[in-house]
Amino acid sequence: MVLSPSLFADDDVLGPAKEKFLDGDFAAAAEALAPLASAAGKDRDRALYLSGVARLENKDLPGAIAALDQLLGLADSAWKQRAVYKRADAFAKQGQWKEAVRIYEQEVARLISAERKNEISALYLDYADRAYEPNEAGKNPDWQAART
């Protein structure tokens, strides 16, 4: 399993779990994440996601689904979209193909929807606008970046 640098920061409160992940001790990683995953706080969503991943890697598939379901129940989190895919992976590993396929199909429909295309277009336009009209005084527009 490859760990993204965004999962763990250098001064991270989730640090003890990082060592367990790197050692491949996913049961211990899930255990280290349990207090943060159950407590309210800014890192709860990330702890729930990582707990789900650790449980998935440890083949505790019901535990993985439960952790990811808790994350999906939170009001707003940058980790929700990743959790959707990991949840589908857990169902697939359990042999619950219909549920996994249903989730994947929903995500494909979302990704190719007109709403998503408009969202991506807005990101590109915002990037071009920022390149065309820099915020810093005396800085010239980046015409090449604005065009691409």
Side-chain angles (χ1 to χ4, degrees):
M1 182 178 92
V2 177
L3 289 178
S4 167
S6 66
L7 294 176
F8 297 100
D10 289 338
D11 60 345
D12 202 339
V13 296
L14 304 179
K18 178 182 180 180
E19 295 305 317
K20 306 299 182 195
F21 265 96
L22 293 174
D23 293 341
D25 189 352
F26 300 111
E31 187 177 316
L33 290 163
L36 289 166
S38 62
K42 70 178 184 84
D43 289 314
R44 181 172 186 226
D45 57 346
R46 188 164 46 129
L48 282 167
Y49 175 75
L50 289 169
S51 178
V53 170
R55 292 171 190 282
L56 184 63
E57 292 296 322
N58 196 45
K59 297 180 179 43
D60 172 11
L61 304 176
I65 292 169
L68 297 168
D69 281 345
Q70 283 182 22
L71 171 55
L72 293 172
L74 297 179
D76 190 31
S77 171
W79 297 94
K80 277 188 169 185
Q81 208 52 55
R82 291 181 185 195
V84 169
Y85 291 106
K86 287 294 181 186
R87 188 170 176 269
D89 292 348
F91 281 119
K93 285 186 177 188
Q94 277 186 325
Q96 295 184 28
W97 303 111
K98 286 183 181 180
E99 184 61 18
V101 167
R102 184 189 66 76
I103 293 169
Y104 291 132
E105 285 177 342
Q106 278 182 331
E107 287 307 299
V108 167
R110 183 187 67 80
L111 289 171
I112 64 172
S113 71
E115 181 181 314
R116 178 68 175 162
K117 289 176 185 176
N118 289 338
E119 183 182 322
I120 298 298
S121 296
L123 289 173
Y124 281 115
L125 290 172
D126 181 54
Y127 175 77
D129 286 345
R130 283 186 281 127
Y132 182 68
E133 296 180 20
N135 290 335
E136 297 176 31
K139 186 174 179 185
N140 292 329
D142 185 347
W143 300 108
Q144 182 61 31
R147 279 191 302 244
T148 55

